[in-house]
Amino acid sequence: MIKNYLKIAFRNLFRNKFYSLLNISGLAIGVACCLMIMLFVSDELGYDTYYDNSENTYRLTMAGGLNGSVFDLAVVGPSVGKAMLQDYPEVIDFARFRQNGSPFIRFGDNVFKEENFIWADHSALDIFGIELVLGDPETALVQPKSLVMSETAAAKYFGKADPLGQQIEFRGSKDYKVTGVYKDIPANTHFEFDVMGSMETLDESKQPIWLSMNFQTYIVLTEGADVQKMASLFPAMLEKYIGPEVKRFLNMDWEDMESNGNNLAFGMQPVKDIHLTSDLQGELDANGDIKYVYIFSAIGFFILLIACINFMNLSTARSAHRAKEVGVRKVLGSVKAQLIYQFLAESILISFISFVLAIGLAYLALPFFNQLADKELTIPFQDPMFFGLMLAGVTIVGLLAGSYPAFFLSSFQPVKVLKGALSGGMKSGALRNVLVVIQFCASIILVIGTLVILNQLEFIQNKNLGFDRDQVIIINDAYLAGSNTSALKTEMESFSEVKSASLSGFLPTPSNNNMNVFLKGVVPKDDNQVLSSNWTIDYEYLETMGMEIVQGRNFSREFPTDSLGIIMNEAALKEFGFDEPLGETIGTFADLEGNIQGYKVVGIVKDFHFQTLKDKIGPLILQLGNNTGLLNLKVNTTDYASLLNKMEDSWAKFAPNQPFETSFLDARFERMYEDEQRLGKIFGVFASLAIIIACLGLFGLAAYTAENRIKEVGIRKVLGANVGQLVYLLSKDMGKLVIIAFIIGAPLAWYFSYNWLQGFVYRASIGWTIFAVTALGSLFIAVATMSYQSLKAAVSNPVKSLRTE
């Protein structure tokens, strides 16, 4: 019987090649899109699940508020992990990471800037399942000045030579030793390290201080530990360890601090939740966003829904052509169940062919999708579960897409069918119309979502940020010039293409963050502390970056006392509450003993964005300093190649044998919004595919409608109707459906888009033009798709269609 079902199914497919092609191609594209999205979502949800005990591993966080300034940190003090191990029996191990820039590593004549370097406790190897392929895992990171590195890094530094025991030059010291090589860390981890240095090297890691928060700290709990009970004991722990430091630095008892509305709180973040739900200060790497997982899942669902609707539409539309087949089969003894099995078999066969094609399409499209999504996804052909899921998908999609046509066709009454009572088939098309509305509603939501994202990106590009990001060249790691750094700056300032030059370690990007407590005055009181970002700059920094002084003046060499001067932004001025800020004294802690240094306010700089537009502009204090991390050049040329050659020649003179690396400030700014740009591109691609799939179904429906009304068209032509009138007659109903879809879809799209934009403090409005463009575009595409078949019917010779009447 199954063989007979399949034989008839194949015959029906080949008999109706045009409709079969539309069905299979639409479903295949939809399934391919859904498969790639499923791989993306699976990868995102699989972060930090590959190592043992990940279920019981937590990262410690610190949140709090100080006189209205709030912070939420992924870092804690260096002593916290050890105290947790001592005070809580549930804690069985801990490990710390400490980020401290991207150092240069030298081996022989080779010099590499290691972007993925971290200081780590030895216990991190065991906690995070970092498997050594060379070296002793018991001792690899125990001794100071020992390093372990990934297999990729070892090959980069040493080629085919044995890395173990190699002496390398690191941070000016030549006695660092490679003690281990580990397998590359999987990509789906919330950190990415290629070289790890022993935490024992850092003196600050041994400091018994809690308020200097720079260490990402992880704890491992016993199986079944009561996390809520542990968290309830944290306030007492904070008072015990941080209370004395609050007294020393802020001159407040713990009770006074809390009664004034200030607070500090520890948190425990499950390590598996970090990638998708964490966006704290001090993250080890840029994380994902659970909202995007939801968005992509919805896109996959919509596209698969549109593809399934195509199948249902075309199957029910062609019901009249199979009505007599159903009638004859029923007269010859077929029962309803057999007919249902027959039509479901056809549906599952189409689904199977579509899935096979979809896997092929996904395989070919995956490199492009990986580039778009910044992933390294692969189709897991070696995993039996994958084929099990595909088989389940074939069955489910086949049953869902074919269920209504199967029950609808099998319900025909043979007497009526054979008398021709259903010759017109399902002419009312009520269900078909509903499905078309759903299709275009989903497509309209995707299109509007794409336009909103692109509009926000354009808003970001055109917003006045308070500084000039154009034509600013950054020379990275200017400190490599050593004592020649100032001379290097002076020579480059002399270039005719250079308007001004500045040395600083800070740029208006989120990667630069240095928080300090400042005092209104020089004596700590209950309500005079402000938590502010703190940058050290030189005399030319504000000019080079195009920042505007709104009160007072810039730092000047004519005022030697400016070494104890500060410039604050307008947000900081608001926090301090000065009516006349110039000349006021601001204090900050000079050392770990609690000694305070006072600074005079010399100027107020207009607020500028030094975080993303997702964040409100916070307080910022600028001080004179000798930070030589970056040499920033404001230029006035378009011949960048020539200027960069001149700069490199100067670099070779003042920093011989040192790597020369440049970047552009506007390019750094663009990288801040890579996720949004990526989302916009992916939305655009899938929105286009959704429309294509919907139009494939529409094209098939148009062909069916034209075929079904060919005699009506012939009669109307004979009675004088022109081509335009006939095209309008055949297309108007579909235009109405698109308008209904827009009326339903537009509010839903506005709701989802509005909620996405709430993630930005500074955002574009959702203008009416987005909806107008979408409405007109959708209507045009639908009518254009219908018009081909309508025009084909309208220009046909009426004699051919009426000769049998």
Side-chain angles (χ1 to χ4, degrees):
M1 183 66 73
I2 295 176
K3 181 179 178 181
N4 185 55
Y5 288 156
L6 292 175
K7 184 185 293 184
I8 295 173
F10 272 112
R11 284 177 180 172
N12 188 56
L13 288 179
F14 283 107
R15 187 182 302 118
N16 302 286
K17 297 183 181 64
F18 173 73
Y19 294 98
S20 299
L21 179 63
L22 289 180
N23 255 337
I24 292 171
S25 59
L27 198 53
I29 294 172
V31 172
C33 293
C34 195
L35 174 58
M36 290 188 289
I37 290 172
M38 184 178 71
L39 292 173
F40 174 88
V41 170
S42 176
D43 181 75
E44 288 288 290
L45 295 176
Y47 266 66
D48 294 297
T49 58
Y50 65 89
Y51 48 86
D52 296 336
N53 232 358
S54 61
E55 292 281 351
N56 300 312
T57 304
Y58 294 80
R59 183 174 69 181
L60 297 175
T61 63
M62 175 70 87
L66 186 64
N67 293 327
S69 299
V70 296
F71 57 89
D72 207 351
L73 307 175
V75 288
V76 296
S79 304
V80 178
K82 184 177 181 181
M84 287 276 185
L85 188 61
Q86 291 173 346
D87 293 0
Y88 291 90
E90 299 94 336
V91 178
I92 58 177
D93 205 355
F94 78 94
R96 298 168 299 171
F97 293 127
R98 171 74 166 99
Q99 283 182 314
N100 195 9
S102 302
F104 285 89
I105 295 178
R106 294 175 180 272
F107 179 71
D109 296 329
N110 297 320
V111 183
F112 298 96
K113 183 177 182 180
E114 186 50 66
E115 301 285 355
N116 296 319
F117 174 82
I118 198 78
W119 298 103
D121 283 319
H122 171 75
S123 54
L125 298 177
D126 181 54
I127 289 175
F128 293 104
I130 299 172
E131 182 182 348
L132 290 189
V133 294
L134 293 174
D136 183 356
E138 298 298 323
T139 60
L141 273 180
V142 171
Q143 296 300 320
K145 294 190 175 181
S146 57
L147 302 173
V148 296
M149 56 183 59
S150 67
E151 291 179 299
T152 298
K156 179 176 70 173
Y157 291 122
F158 306 110
K160 295 182 179 180
D162 184 2
L164 281 186
Q166 296 282 8
Q167 299 283 128
I168 63 174
E169 182 179 341
F170 181 84
R171 294 187 179 274
S173 175
K174 297 183 179 180
D175 55 351
Y176 279 80
K177 183 186 292 186
V178 178
T179 56
V181 175
Y182 54 85
K183 289 184 178 180
D184 288 355
I185 296 173
N188 58 343
T189 311
H190 74 281
F191 51 72
E192 183 181 1
F193 308 143
D194 281 329
V195 179
M196 303 169 68
S198 171
M199 187 69 76
E200 290 297 312
T201 314
L202 298 181
D203 290 336
E204 64 174 309
S205 70
K206 306 175 183 69
Q207 292 283 351
I209 190 166
W210 287 58
L211 284 178
S212 178
M213 293 171 278
N214 292 302
F215 292 79
Q216 287 89 6
T217 302
Y218 300 80
I219 58 174
V220 182
L221 305 184
T222 56
E223 189 75 31
D226 190 338
V227 176
Q228 297 297 329
K229 181 180 177 182
M230 278 188 66
S232 69
L233 300 175
F234 283 167
M237 184 184 197
L238 285 168
E239 183 175 359
K240 173 183 175 182
Y241 290 104
I242 299 185
E245 294 183 14
V246 170
K247 180 67 174 177
R248 187 196 325 166
F249 291 113
L250 303 181
N251 195 27
M252 283 189 289
D253 292 326
W254 187 260
E255 294 80 7
D256 294 336
M257 184 197 74
E258 291 187 322
S259 64
N260 291 331
N262 302 316
N263 65 88
L264 292 170
F266 274 141
M268 289 196 303
Q269 196 172 39
V271 71
K272 295 198 298 182
D273 293 348
I274 291 175
H275 176 66
L276 289 178
T277 63
S278 182
D279 185 22
L280 308 179
Q281 291 173 283
E283 295 284 356
L284 286 171
D285 205 351
N287 288 327
D289 192 330
I290 190 66
K291 288 188 298 186
Y292 292 160
V293 171
Y294 296 147
I295 289 171
F296 284 124
S297 300
I299 291 173
F301 172 76
F302 280 150
I303 289 178
L304 189 60
L305 177 67
I306 290 169
C308 290
I309 286 173
N310 273 357
F311 178 85
M312 295 177 70
N313 269 341
L314 291 176
S315 296
T316 54
R318 292 192 58 77
S319 59
H321 294 271
R322 304 197 66 178
K324 288 187 178 180
E325 174 193 343
V326 171
V328 171
R329 289 163 73 92
K330 279 194 170 185
V331 168
L332 295 177
S334 292
V335 296
K336 184 175 182 179
Q338 291 175 318
L339 293 171
I340 290 174
Y341 293 150
Q342 171 64 54
F343 292 123
L344 286 179
E346 291 182 17
S347 175
I348 292 173
L349 176 63
I350 292 174
S351 178
F352 177 79
I353 296 171
S354 299
F355 266 73
V356 172
L357 288 176
I359 293 172
L361 288 174
Y363 179 80
L364 294 175
L366 208 51
F368 170 74
F369 182 73
N370 280 334
Q371 184 179 5
L372 206 60
D374 193 27
K375 289 284 186 181
E376 297 178 1
L377 305 174
T378 57
I379 298 177
F381 290 115
Q382 73 285 355
D383 188 356
M385 185 177 292
F386 169 74
F387 290 101
L389 289 173
M390 289 298 100
L391 186 60
V394 167
T395 306
I396 293 170
V397 170
L399 291 175
L400 289 178
S403 57
Y404 183 83
F407 284 98
F408 174 75
L409 292 171
S410 63
S411 65
F412 287 162
Q413 296 180 15
V415 175
K416 292 182 179 180
V417 169
L418 296 177
K419 285 182 177 181
L422 294 179
S423 61
M426 188 181 170
K427 284 188 176 179
S428 64
L431 174 68
R432 207 159 55 244
N433 293 343
V434 170
L435 295 177
V436 169
V437 168
I438 293 173
Q439 272 189 318
F440 273 90
C441 186
S443 302
I444 284 165
I445 290 173
L446 291 177
V447 170
I448 291 176
T450 301
L451 294 178
V452 167
I453 293 169
L454 296 178
N455 189 46
Q456 176 65 11
L457 290 174
E458 184 181 3
F459 172 82
I460 290 169
Q461 291 295 327
N462 296 326
K463 190 178 188 311
N464 182 0
L465 300 171
F467 66 93
D468 188 0
R469 66 179 182 266
D470 297 323
Q471 292 192 299
V472 177
I473 298 176
I474 313 297
I475 298 179
N476 301 319
D477 310 303
Y479 66 87
L480 293 175
S483 59
N484 294 326
T485 305
S486 295
L488 173 68
K489 174 190 172 187
T490 301
E491 176 160 315
M492 291 194 178
E493 277 181 311
S494 69
F495 296 162
S496 60
E497 302 94 335
V498 176
K499 295 172 65 176
S500 63
S502 162
L503 282 166
S504 174
F506 298 91
L507 292 173
T509 63
S511 59
N512 290 275
N513 187 46
N514 183 39
M515 301 292 288
N516 280 318
V517 174
F518 289 86
L519 309 175
K520 189 175 181 180
V522 292
V523 178
K525 298 178 182 178
D526 293 348
D527 59 353
N528 72 337
Q529 303 97 15
V530 172
L531 186 65
S532 172
S533 294
N534 179 211
W535 295 3
T536 52
I537 63 173
D538 66 1
Y539 296 99
E540 292 78 26
Y541 185 84
L542 298 183
E543 177 189 358
T544 302
M545 294 296 171
M547 296 167 181
E548 180 184 348
I549 293 288
V550 292
Q551 289 187 55
R553 58 178 175 81
N554 192 3
F555 294 126
S556 172
R557 291 181 177 85
E558 297 178 3
F559 295 90
T561 56
D562 277 0
S563 60
L564 292 176
I566 65 163
I567 296 172
M568 64 174 65
N569 69 350
E570 293 170 307
L573 175 59
K574 184 178 179 180
E575 291 287 335
F576 281 105
F578 292 127
D579 294 325
E580 297 293 336
L582 302 181
E584 290 281 3
T585 300
I586 300 296
T588 191
F589 298 99
D591 53 41
L592 296 179
E593 301 303 318
N595 296 312
I596 296 172
Q597 175 66 58
Y599 294 84
K600 295 291 185 182
V601 179
V602 300
I604 305 296
V605 66
K606 186 175 182 179
D607 277 345
F608 61 89
H609 291 273
F610 56 94
Q611 298 290 326
T612 71
L613 297 186
K614 294 180 179 180
D615 302 302
K616 184 180 179 181
I617 297 175
L620 174 65
I621 302 292
L622 305 174
Q623 297 173 266
L624 274 176
N626 297 313
N627 196 319
T628 56
L630 304 166
L631 176 54
N632 316 307
L633 305 171
K634 180 66 176 179
V635 303
N636 58 358
T637 181
T638 55
D639 187 3
Y640 294 113
S642 175
L643 176 57
L644 289 172
N645 287 334
K646 290 171 65 176
M647 290 164 57
E648 189 168 8
D649 291 340
S650 291
W651 179 266
K653 181 168 64 173
F654 291 104
N657 302 317
Q658 300 288 358
F660 177 69
E661 183 182 283
T662 63
S663 59
F664 287 82
L665 183 59
D666 56 353
R668 285 177 176 246
F669 178 81
E670 294 283 345
R671 286 197 294 272
M672 290 162 53
Y673 300 99
E674 283 181 341
D675 286 345
E676 287 71 30
Q677 292 170 351
R678 192 177 299 122
L679 181 65
K681 291 176 182 176
I682 293 174
F683 243 92
V685 168
F686 284 125
S688 300
L689 289 173
I691 291 173
I692 289 171
I693 296 169
C695 287
L696 284 175
L698 203 58
F699 188 78
L701 284 178
Y704 164 74
T705 301
E707 177 185 342
N708 222 37
R709 301 178 68 178
I710 190 68
K711 291 183 179 179
E712 176 190 347
V713 169
I715 293 170
R716 288 179 179 274
K717 286 190 76 173
V718 169
L719 295 176
N722 58 39
V723 172
Q725 290 172 325
L726 293 173
V727 170
Y728 171 74
L729 175 72
L730 294 174
S731 304
K732 66 176 182 178
D733 290 339
M734 201 55 62
K736 293 177 183 177
L737 296 180
V738 173
I739 292 171
I740 293 171
F742 177 80
I743 292 171
I744 296 172
L748 292 173
W750 179 88
Y751 173 78
F752 295 130
S753 300
Y754 176 82
N755 279 281
W756 178 76
L757 285 171
Q758 297 311 298
F760 294 84
V761 173
Y762 306 92
R763 52 186 176 267
S765 59
I766 307 176
W768 64 269
T769 52
I770 290 175
F771 296 94
V773 168
T774 304
L776 293 175
S778 302
L779 190 60
F780 173 79
I781 291 171
V783 170
T785 303
M786 290 286 292
S787 294
Y788 172 78
Q789 295 291 354
S790 301
L791 188 62
K792 183 179 176 182
V795 299
S796 63
N797 189 344
V799 174
K800 292 181 179 180
S801 58
L802 298 176
R803 72 174 70 185
T804 58
E805 292 298 310

